[in-house]
Amino acid sequence: MDLKPALYGRDPEELRKFAQEKKIPAYRAAQVLEWVYRKNIQDFKEAKNLPAELCGLLAKQFDLNSLSEIERQRSADGEAVKFLFKTRDEALLESVLIDQQGRRTVCLSTQIGCKIGCVFCASGKGRFGRNLEAGEIIEQAAKVQRATGAPLTNVVFMGMGEPLDNFEEVMKSLKILQAPWGFGFGARRITVSTSGITPKIIEFVRHSEGRVRLSVSLHSSRDDKRTELVPINKRYGLKALVGALGEIHGKLKREITFEYTLIDSVNDSRQEAAGVARIAKPLRAKVNIIPYNPIEEASFKSPS
Ligand code: SF4
């Protein structure tokens, strides 16, 4: 498939280079990025202060829509809207908008499928497809914002995929989300969630200077149980994970959150609760308890 390069994911340097090659004044590069990232256009013709000739050239050179919306579903309580997008190579991915208590949070996917294989997660059951490009990651936020017509307040990397398993593209997408020439999101309004790839957590904190929020999927305070639920625990066990979190704790500007999917008769005992507290307390971490949401592919039950 011979595709035009996507415009989402470009940075000022790339656009300046393009302007130079085409003998376009350099200030136009900044204008193009502003229309794309800040003003959220979906057609170059919407860029009012750009000459028609430049709009035509941009349309010829770049693709502004590498994702197309296939389906939109609102939850029964109306607080969540699920978007199904198709990539240019026909892969499907989901993004979710959660509109709750004055916050409009978008949950982004970072991969097609996921290699981690958490037993309670539908994304981990299918075949792994590929990493999403930075542009495809941020285009989800742009498309959701545009479709619902109101600005987003928060961005979470908690959709399909393990963000730290697609490190380079996720870091690039974080840069564009935060940059003044990009979306201009404050780092404290962005959360990256991981199943616990320990070395990558350390790299992520160094890379983001501890500013972007970190969320870690815990799901059990016992190694044997956690390995059953989150197979990566076999490679990076609790000792390594908690040790790494202790190491970076002082460098983080925000508190760590542990995600804990509560499953009936699996990880909902008092001993587990005490174990989680033992892990979370020294790190002053918050624990987010999520009642298990049944999926067809697993026989677990929601907690009472
Ligand atoms: Fe699902 Fe996240 Fe686990 Fe991947 S890491 S299988 S997306 S819960």
Side-chain angles (χ1 to χ4, degrees), residues 161-188:
E162 159 57 65
L164 300 188
D165 187 37
N166 182 13
F167 196 82
E168 296 304 322
E169 296 301 309
V170 165
M171 293 305 125
K172 190 173 177 194
S173 68
L174 285 172
K175 182 175 147 194
I176 299 171
L177 278 175
Q178 294 172 75
W181 50 262
F183 286 69
F185 261 101
R188 71 192 158 80

Side-chain angles (χ1 to χ4, degrees), residues 62 100 114 150 170 191:
F62 294 106
Q100 230 172 20
C114 182
V170 165
T191 303

Side-chain angles (χ1 to χ4, degrees), residues 111 113-125 158-163 193-195 217 219 229-230:
Q111 295 179 310
C114 182
K115 291 183 228 158
I116 305 297
C118 302
V119 291
F120 50 82
C121 170
S123 303
K125 301 278 178 194
M158 286 188 193
M160 183 166 39
E162 159 57 65
S193 173
T194 177
S195 57
S217 300
H219 309 313
L229 298 173
V230 187

